[in-house]
Amino acid sequence: MKAVILVGGEGTRLRPLTYDIPKPMVPILNKPFMEHMLDLLKKHGIKEVVFSSGYKVEAFMEHFFNGEKLGLKLDYVVEEFPLGTAGAVKNVEKFIDGTFLVFNGDILTDADLTSLIKYHREKKGIATLTLTPVDNPTIYGVIETDQNNRIQKFIEKPSWDRVTSNYINAGIYVLEPVIFKEMKPDKNYSFERQIYPDLLERGDLLFAYKTGAYWLDIGSPEKYMKANQDALLGNIKLETHLKREGSGILLGDSSSIGSKASLEPPIAIGKNCVISKGAQIGKLSVIGNSCKIESGAVVKSSIVWDNTIVEKSARLENCIIGRNCLIGEEAVIESGAIIASSTKIEPGKVIESGVKVG
Ligand code: GTP
């Protein structure tokens, strides 16, 4: 079975990090998010993947090329303008030759795709939508089903008095090619708002596959951080090249940890890093490859991307720092701040809570 992954969005909520890297390529435990997603597909026997892309497609191509190294066959289709979730899938129709999977390209999950596909075949609908429970369904599109899990209704962002289900669309579908029939090429369509409700109206069979698997949309800074932290905590098990050093510490090859540096698990430190003496890496931090954390610097619950230098006695707390940054001596980056890649923060400067630089 083939999978189509939607990776054409601009990732506006993750700006400024997504100005130079598309959202699906942001690192989770120092590995592009998309690579984790491809690991999951491979685990469930999916060998051919079509990327439906537009925004910064070259980032995917440079990293994955034709997929050979991962044992996959990858194809790329690039949109001239955004076609929406369903229009984007219509746009890759020529690659589809049977039942196929569709993924939003920002969903971190360990869902059992084998069981999802089996369920779809048993139910014999034209679409099976994976649903996941959430605490607050009012900010999502809720889906109502009958006792046989046949979908009855789509309700976009319902007010609390209209909430009849806490199951939302998880952005993972198994579809039959007949879904394309009424869709015109090069037209913007949304699955959630248009195509699925139209199919229901026509009386087509759409089923829900309810999963209790780990599920997180990594699209906002808070959730992106949570994805890394959940991976550190083992709430989702991800494959990593980092080696386990003692309990809760993941460490890349050729990294050095200075004397009296303090490492508080769970943390991850990439390869070729230098953590100088007296530096502190607090729990739930992820340090990218080839980073330098100088003496007396403190990194707490923060994500630092590759090739970044944190100079002496600088302090980072609950923040995200892009690639190739230089955080000057004694600078302070407060909670919720985001520093874009290739940014230099002057020594002693304070970046206040929630501020985005770059
Ligand atoms: P925000 O701007 O922060 O909302 O992010 P986004 O637009 O990148 O993502 P959104 O959550 O809106 O979309 C879910 C998934 O669908 C993401 O993986 C997007 O890359 C993808 N996507 C959204 N719109 C399009 C589109 O028009 N074309 C394609 N190919 N993919 C899309």
Side-chain angles (χ1 to χ4, degrees):
M1 186 176 291
K2 291 182 182 172
V4 177
I5 310 186
L6 299 171
V7 295
E10 291 189 14
T12 52
R13 286 165 297 156
L14 272 185
R15 286 178 184 165
L17 295 167
T18 43
Y19 280 133
D20 69 337
I21 185 175
K23 176 167 63 175
M25 292 300 280
V26 298
I28 308 276
L29 284 193
N30 290 354
K31 176 163 143 178
F33 163 73
M34 185 48 58
E35 208 172 318
H36 292 295
M37 212 164 159
L38 295 177
D39 286 343
L40 177 75
L41 290 171
K42 238 170 75 172
K43 187 174 152 197
H44 291 279
I46 312 287
K47 301 225 171 65
E48 291 182 50
V49 175
V50 184
F51 284 118
S52 164
S53 56
Y55 183 68
K56 298 205 179 295
V57 64
E58 58 291 347
F60 301 95
M61 290 172 161
E62 279 164 18
H63 189 82
F64 297 119
F65 190 51
N66 61 5
E68 214 176 321
K69 277 194 189 151
L70 294 173
L72 294 167
K73 180 179 180 300
L74 302 181
D75 284 291
Y76 303 84
V77 175
V78 185
E79 288 163 16
E80 276 175 40
F81 52 90
L83 291 170
T85 49
V89 175
K90 170 78 177 172
N91 197 41
V92 306
E93 187 176 2
K94 68 170 186 202
F95 288 95
I96 304 303
D97 50 11
T99 309
F100 65 107
L101 260 169
V102 172
F103 263 85
N104 278 0
D106 54 0
I107 303 301
L108 182 63
T109 183
D110 55 7
D112 183 348
L113 305 181
T114 305
S115 150
L116 163 68
I117 293 163
K118 184 168 169 267
Y119 186 81
H120 173 81
R121 295 203 196 281
E122 283 165 10
K123 287 292 193 181
K124 298 189 168 56
I126 67 165
T128 300
L129 283 63
T130 307
L131 306 192
T132 185
V134 289
D135 292 335
N136 178 7
T138 62
I139 51 173
Y140 297 96
V142 165
I143 297 179
E144 279 180 18
T145 60
D146 70 8
Q147 284 168 337
N148 293 320
N149 282 331
R150 185 172 170 188
I151 294 177
Q152 302 293 311
K153 211 176 193 181
F154 291 85
I155 315 170
E156 266 306 300
K157 300 190 177 146
S159 52
W160 274 110
D161 57 326
R162 291 184 67 220
V163 171
T164 47
S165 155
N166 66 334
Y167 277 95
I168 63 155
N169 178 358
I172 307 167
Y173 320 122
V174 187
L175 304 177
E176 294 300 322
V178 66
I179 201 121
F180 294 126
K181 217 170 108 196
E182 304 288 322
M183 288 162 62
K184 297 188 175 65
D186 298 323
K187 201 174 159 209
N188 192 301
Y189 292 105
S190 154
F191 272 128
E192 309 82 328
R193 286 186 292 278
Q194 195 177 355
I195 299 299
Y196 293 145
D198 284 358
L199 291 171
L200 263 196
E201 190 98 326
R202 256 179 28 192
D204 280 316
L205 286 174
L206 278 72
F207 285 96
Y209 173 83
K210 292 176 180 164
T211 175
Y214 181 94
W215 182 89
L216 184 72
D217 150 15
I218 64 151
S220 67
E222 298 73 24
K223 289 189 178 161
Y224 168 64
M225 286 194 83
K226 181 168 166 44
N228 277 282
Q229 295 175 346
D230 279 345
L232 285 172
L233 290 165
N235 294 339
I236 179 162
K237 292 200 169 37
L238 299 177
E239 286 176 33
T240 163
H241 302 303
L242 305 174
K243 296 195 179 83
R244 217 158 265 288
E245 293 279 324
S247 81
I249 297 179
L250 291 168
L251 192 62
D253 291 338
S254 309
S255 284
S256 72
I257 312 291
S259 62
K260 293 191 189 143
S262 135
L263 307 183
E264 188 188 359
I267 54 167
I269 297 171
K271 59 183 179 184
N272 303 321
C273 287
V274 177
I275 312 294
S276 301
K277 66 174 185 187
Q280 290 178 42
I281 313 293
K283 65 180 176 201
L284 300 175
S285 295
V286 180
I287 310 293
N289 298 323
S290 306
C291 287
K292 198 170 171 206
I293 312 293
E294 294 187 352
S295 61
V298 177
V299 178
K300 281 188 177 171
S301 308
S302 296
I303 313 294
V304 179
W305 291 4
D306 295 353
N307 289 314
T308 280
I309 298 172
V310 179
E311 289 187 336
K312 283 181 193 160
S313 304
R315 292 180 64 87
L316 275 51
E317 182 151 2
N318 196 35
C319 60
I320 310 171
I321 314 287
R323 295 180 288 193
N324 306 317
C325 289
L326 179 66
I327 310 297
E329 265 186 54
E330 296 188 7
V332 177
I333 316 292
E334 292 184 347
S335 182
I338 301 181
I339 311 295
S341 292
S342 306
T343 300
K344 187 175 170 191
I345 302 293
E346 296 299 328
K349 187 150 174 101
V350 176
I351 305 298
E352 288 179 4
S353 186
V355 169
K356 298 178 182 181
V357 181

